[in-house]
Amino acid sequence: MSTRPPELFPLFAGLETLPGVGEKTARAFAQIGVEKPRDLIFTLPHSGIDRRLRRSIREVVLPATVTVEVEIGGHVAARRKGGPARVMVRDVATEFQLVFFHAKGDWLEKQLPSGQRRVISGRVEIFDGVAQMAHPDHILRPEEARGLPDFEPVYALAAGLTQRGVARAVQGALTRLPVVAEWADAALVAREGWPGWAEAAARAHAPQNMADLAPTAPARARLAYDELFAHQLTLALARSQLRRAKGRISKGDGALRARTLAALPFAPTAAQARAMAEIAADMAGPMRMNRLLQGDVGSGKTLVAFMALLVAVEAGGQGVMMAPTEILARQHFDSLAPLARAAGVRLELLTGRDKGAERAAKLADLAAGRIALLVGTHAVFQREVEFADLRLAVVDEQHRFGVAQRMELGAKGRAADMLVMTATPIPRSLSLAQYGDMDISLLDEKPPGRKPVKTALISTARLDEVVAHLRRALAEGRQAYWVCPLVEDSETVDLASAEERFRALRVVFGEGVVGLVHGQLPAAEKDAAMADFVAGRTRLLVATTVIEVGVNVPNASIMVIERAETFGLAQLHQLRGRVGRGAADSTCLMLYQAPLTGPGGRRLQILRETEDGFRIAEEDLAMRGAGDVLGTAQSGLPRFRVADLERQAGLMAVAQSDARALLSADPGLESPRGRAARLLLWLMEQDRAIRLISVG
Ligand code: ADP
Ligand code: MG
């Protein structure tokens, strides 16, 4: 099935083919991403208005939208140009006013002839002690009023759209629903009491009360599930394609791993041990591993990744670890080096800065298999680096890859197992959406003995106290970071503020004590600045957010963040994670510009309350919504039209296990349910998935 099924054509036709939609309206719809009748089906009302006929406006608590039958009294013309015209009306219990601005000619007299009865509906407010309804939404003759629904859906609008226009277009689209076979698991549908797809669509657009608009209402839950199921089916198809691709069996005797563990002053946590076992089992299997190692800062991912690399070496092959930046590659190298020494394997670092003969020699050693483990940047790996026998690639991802890019990487068909590391805790529903094609190992436990980081919120007005505190701490031999504000997301402005702060602090603490690192520094200077700080030659490091990810200096125990209220939650959490890595008590001083209000203030409160990355991530999701949490454009996370990842989180997990189960029972989607699922993929425009089944 590589062309769209004909029964879907009416839903994929132009919007103008719908009654009441002309070219202009179609353009207005395009602003909200609605380009065809199909899109209208999945653009659900976000709220609703109770239009039940009341006897009197006295029956409801004002202000509120009310529908009542009234007898029309006198008209009072606008007293001045632009002023309101009024029409007195009376229901069974009370008198009130209808108010109109800019009413033209005799429109009012025609609509509301004195002495007649009309059913009117609109928002009634008390103004100067008088009940008023300005510009009623509906003015109907009593005999027409039966056509008014008790509950009216409310849609998001854009310029050029009206509620009535949207509702009419939606009704038109709803007449085009094809008869479809059930693609969802029958037991699930029965258990949840869900209607079939077409009925769910019709019901979701015709809510009868507020409860029907809740994310848990059966019709809405069903449509959300369908959307998530289609997404998970795509991921599951990608996953099964990757797994079908020939993998390598990498089984080690455990000797190198045992030697390494014996050299460590600590034992792995239960979470680390579990992750190590999951990875080793994947690598020993014939299918290609595609696994995510997710763990908060400090959860000990490095050791787990290293153990995985050793499996590759024990099996007679090689492993590579890739980082997004040079600084991080260097850090990974530095933290892996002692482990590699303990294991007795050769580990090398390859970055864009390796040049000439040295680089050539490294490449030759790699190609000959004389280097067991390599650390480098993604860029280095993507260029021509030949391995003798690459068995595992560890990718330190930090959200730089989306699903689509991973699918491409996988399609290139290197047989090596893949382990992706991410330090950014994200809520489960989001990680399923973003990493649903992967298997996940979660480090949900921190190594014992870590002390909490003391977090204080301090007004910038007290900058002097902060400097005094730093002076004492540095005198005691401690080290500190000073992160400069993000100004309007502009690299140049950030830079200016960091350099300014650097100069000011250098005057206070003296030459040679303060270092500076930012993204615009030439690579060699950046390295030198980092190296000076790591070696303790500089004691205070002024930085932009380049130090956010991965940097590890255990002796650094103070983190100062200037204008902390302008940073995002996840970023602040990452920055704070840079301290609390050594034996000393650590502090994070979050400087803010008073007054501390709004979302910025709320973020800092959350950070003061907890260090739990997953809790912080949940709060972040609640405050910002799914798209923003992952930084939509680069995240590869699809925008869901119906599903609400925050409020319908549970559905994602169900969708994932259903999708995997369906594919394992019916890999080619050939069964009746499989065929129905193909139609769903078409309906949900999952082109990538459709391409995968067409070739598969
Ligand atoms: P992550 O990369 O997940 O942020 P790291 O791997 O850098 O964390 O580990 C953080 C620190 O914890 C390191 O100093 C590491 O040596 C230490 N560590 C790792 N695992 C354990 C453990 N099981 N017990 C004690 N300390 C550990
Ligand atoms: Mg690390």
Side-chain angles (χ1 to χ4, degrees), residues 73 84 117 176 193 201 309 400 436 503 529 539 550 631 635 670:
R117 306 190 67 79
R176 300 184 178 191
L309 290 166
R400 273 167 179 78
R503 281 192 293 271
R539 317 212 53 84
S635 74
E670 303 291 353

Side-chain angles (χ1 to χ4, degrees), residues 338-663:
L339 296 170
R341 266 196 304 280
V345 300
R346 181 166 168 204
L347 171 83
E348 292 287 350
L349 174 70
L350 184 70
T351 74
R353 274 172 248 164
D354 286 283
K355 297 268 150 56
E358 221 174 310
R359 178 183 173 87
K362 269 188 202 172
L363 290 178
D365 282 356
L366 258 185
R370 287 187 294 268
I371 295 176
L373 298 178
L374 183 73
V375 179
T377 56
H378 295 167
V380 169
F381 179 73
Q382 274 151 9
R383 278 189 241 124
E384 278 315 292
V385 177
E386 291 288 333
F387 289 85
D389 182 17
L390 180 65
R391 282 168 180 264
L392 174 67
V394 178
V395 184
D396 187 359
E397 177 179 70
Q398 318 286 0
H399 290 312
R400 273 167 179 78
F401 285 170
V403 174
Q405 285 147 301
R406 273 203 311 279
M407 284 170 93
E408 271 163 37
L409 239 167
K412 281 191 183 142
R414 288 186 187 254
D417 285 324
M418 176 125 71
L419 180 67
V420 177
M421 288 199 295
T422 172
T424 314
I426 54 179
R428 180 163 154 78
S429 58
L430 292 193
S431 83
L432 287 174
Q434 202 186 16
Y435 300 111
D437 55 330
M438 312 183 83
D439 299 297
I440 299 183
S441 290
L442 188 63
L443 296 184
D444 51 3
E445 171 189 10
K446 293 222 173 145
R450 282 180 69 96
K451 293 189 192 147
V453 177
K454 231 184 298 151
T455 300
L457 312 186
I458 302 173
S459 158
T460 15
R462 292 165 56 199
L463 196 71
D464 288 351
E465 291 171 43
V466 174
V467 169
H469 175 80
L470 272 181
R471 195 194 304 277
R472 283 192 300 275
L474 299 192
E476 287 166 14
R478 296 163 71 179
Q479 287 177 283
Y481 297 99
W482 187 299
V483 177
C484 290
L486 278 174
V487 187
E488 292 165 14
D489 259 352
S490 144
E491 182 72 18
T492 40
V493 185
D494 286 357
L495 196 59
S497 68
E499 276 175 344
E500 201 176 305
R501 184 57 70 202
F502 167 67
R503 281 192 293 271
L505 290 171
R506 202 173 43 177
V507 170
V508 175
F509 295 110
E511 288 287 328
V513 175
V514 188
L516 172 68
V517 59
H518 57 70
Q520 307 272 289
L521 277 182
E525 282 179 44
K526 207 160 36 181
D527 283 357
M530 284 310 300
D532 282 344
F533 189 64
V534 172
R537 287 187 290 274
T538 49
R539 317 212 53 84
L540 177 64
L541 186 65
V542 178
T544 56
T545 50
V546 292
I547 60 151
E548 179 186 341
V549 277
V551 172
N552 188 18
V553 180
N555 191 46
S557 57
I558 300 171
M559 168 65 68
V560 180
I561 306 172
E562 224 179 307
R563 293 299 306 270
E565 79 278 11
T566 63
F567 290 82
L569 262 182
Q571 209 167 23
L572 290 169
H573 175 64
Q574 288 288 325
L575 287 170
R576 182 171 58 183
R578 297 303 109 216
V579 295
R581 306 183 145 240
D585 285 338
S586 294
T587 18
C588 179
L589 306 176
M590 301 200 174
L591 301 183
Y592 63 88
Q593 189 122 32
L596 190 54
T597 52
R602 171 86 190 113
R603 287 196 294 267
L604 299 193
Q605 288 302 341
I606 291 168
L607 281 158
R608 198 164 62 171
E609 281 163 26
T610 183
E611 273 192 76
D612 177 345
F614 284 93
R615 154 105 206 272
I616 290 169
E618 297 284 355
E619 297 277 0
D620 205 16
L621 178 62
M623 284 183 73
R624 290 196 298 158
D628 288 345
V629 169
L630 292 173
T632 346
Q634 35 161 319
S635 74
L637 186 75
R639 277 188 48 228
F640 295 110
R641 243 178 225 276
V642 177
D644 178 335
L645 290 188
E646 191 195 329
R647 295 189 299 164
Q648 295 170 320
L651 286 178
M652 184 66 95
V654 178
Q656 184 187 62
S657 68
D658 285 356
R660 289 186 179 186
L662 174 60
L663 273 189

Side-chain angles (χ1 to χ4, degrees), residues 114-198:
S114 297
Q116 293 204 13
R117 306 190 67 79
R118 290 288 184 272
V119 170
I120 52 162
S121 185
R123 188 172 168 79
V124 179
E125 291 177 80
I126 308 284
F127 200 75
D128 279 347
V130 181
Q132 304 187 342
M133 182 190 291
H135 298 270
D137 303 329
H138 297 280
I139 301 174
L140 301 165
R141 292 169 193 283
E143 63 272 18
E144 294 171 322
R146 252 162 289 143
L148 200 62
D150 280 355
F151 195 78
E152 191 178 272
V154 177
Y155 294 92
L157 298 181
L161 296 177
T162 62
Q163 288 300 338
R164 242 173 290 185
V166 175
R168 184 157 177 228
V170 166
Q171 289 312 314
L174 285 171
T175 63
R176 300 184 178 191
L177 298 186
V179 176
V180 299
E182 182 57 85
W183 49 68
D185 176 39
L188 172 71
V189 172
R191 189 182 74 221
E192 299 292 333
W194 285 344
W197 173 69

Side-chain angles (χ1 to χ4, degrees), residues 266-269 272 296-302 447 581:
F266 53 76
T269 63
Q272 284 172 317
D296 203 353
V297 282
S299 58
K301 290 182 294 296
T302 310
R581 306 183 145 240

